[in-house]
Amino acid sequence: MMRLSDRFTALVLGGLLCCAVASAQGTEALPFIRIDRNPVSAGMGFAGAASTSATAYSSFRNSAVIPFSAKTMDLGFNYQGWAPSGVKNTNLNFGGAYKLSEKMGFSIGGAYQMGQEYDIFDASGHAKGSFKPSDMVINAGVGFLLTESLSLGVNARYASQGIADGVSLSAFCADAFLLYRMGGVNMTAGISSIGSSVKGDDGASYKLPASATIGVDWSTTFSDVHGIELAADADYFLSGNVAAAFGAQYGYNDLFFLRAGLHVGTGNAVLPTFVTLGAGVKFSGISINLAYLTANEVIGNTITAGIGYSF
């Protein structure tokens, strides 16, 4: 017989997904809000919505993971050389999560992206200066336990984008997730990047890259020194596109880590199909992580390098 908590979980998770899927479809704006800022999951195909291995960046994704984390505090800062072979951006990202108690914690985060500078010309074709596009994201989130095996997380986010001289876009959005833990398995479902429409310089309205999201994460340790983590996520975007991510991590003695992953995006999904590789080291609470994105002509050769501290 299904327990009351299991019924509650299924009911609310289904409700969250229905809310997102029932929303109207539209053209997506501010797509950079869906870039994975976490150097751990960046090495795992951007999978990890249900993972508690790096809660520092949970305000960008799912703060429901915080109450189940073994860490009291997790901080991170990283550099991303995004799409160096395409429309290059230099991204600086930070995040932090802190557990106030065994039942509640909060998260913060931010990102600043600097695009390639370009020349500006007047109507006669004469150069009149230059402009450097930039994007900014600021997040805050909270996660708390509803039962011993179920948590709720909510994030609030402000994003802005300067795309031309005197032309900028901005919007507020939010994430809401439930996470259910059963043994070594975490299962999560929710809505990502649900928010206001963005009005362009042409007067038209554009929707954010919102989606219904589900994820699962499984981890185990054997022979005391070998650790395995497997993660898979799926997003149904309100634009009608679908994305899925699959990742794996091997850890030796909780000291050295190797990672790999695959991200698949259909149609005009905000993030396309690509492969990732990653590695990390952790000692005395300090972690260093590297991730490399490849197998894509548009954003290939992207590198994420991060440092963190946790206790």
Side-chain angles (χ1 to χ4, degrees), residues 141-218:
V142 62
F144 52 92
L145 287 179
L146 299 176
T147 71
E148 64 178 11
S149 57
L150 178 67
S151 65
L152 170 67
V154 178
N155 294 332
R157 179 173 303 110
Y158 171 77
S160 66
Q161 181 177 50
I163 57 178
D165 190 21
V167 180
S168 62
L169 306 173
S170 63
F172 289 94
C173 62
D175 315 313
F177 278 86
L178 285 170
L179 186 144
Y180 183 71
R181 168 165 283 188
M182 182 174 60
V185 179
N186 292 340
M187 296 172 285
T188 193
I191 50 178
S192 301
S193 307
I194 296 293
S196 58
S197 297
V198 178
K199 191 168 231 185
D201 193 50
D202 57 359
S205 293
Y206 302 91
K207 294 187 178 297
L208 298 175
S211 68
T213 304
I214 58 174
V216 61
D217 181 88
W218 173 78

Side-chain angles (χ1 to χ4, degrees), residues 188-300:
T188 193
I191 50 178
S192 301
S193 307
I194 296 293
S196 58
S197 297
V198 178
K199 191 168 231 185
D201 193 50
D202 57 359
S205 293
Y206 302 91
K207 294 187 178 297
L208 298 175
S211 68
T213 304
I214 58 174
V216 61
D217 181 88
W218 173 78
S219 60
T220 189
T221 301
F222 56 96
S223 299
D224 294 328
V225 295
H226 303 287
I228 297 291
E229 181 175 1
L230 302 176
D233 302 337
D235 284 274
Y236 177 81
F237 287 87
L238 304 189
S239 61
N241 292 298
V242 177
F246 309 91
Q249 172 180 269
Y250 166 76
Y252 176 75
N253 206 28
D254 200 32
L255 181 63
F256 300 104
F257 303 88
L258 294 175
R259 307 177 181 106
L262 170 67
H263 184 280
V264 179
T266 65
N268 295 316
V270 64
L271 289 173
T273 298
F274 53 82
V275 172
T276 66
L277 301 171
V281 61
K282 181 170 63 175
F283 182 74
S284 296
I286 298 174
S287 60
I288 298 175
N289 294 289
L290 298 172
Y292 177 68
L293 189 157
T294 186
N296 186 277
E297 293 183 359
V298 178
I299 60 175

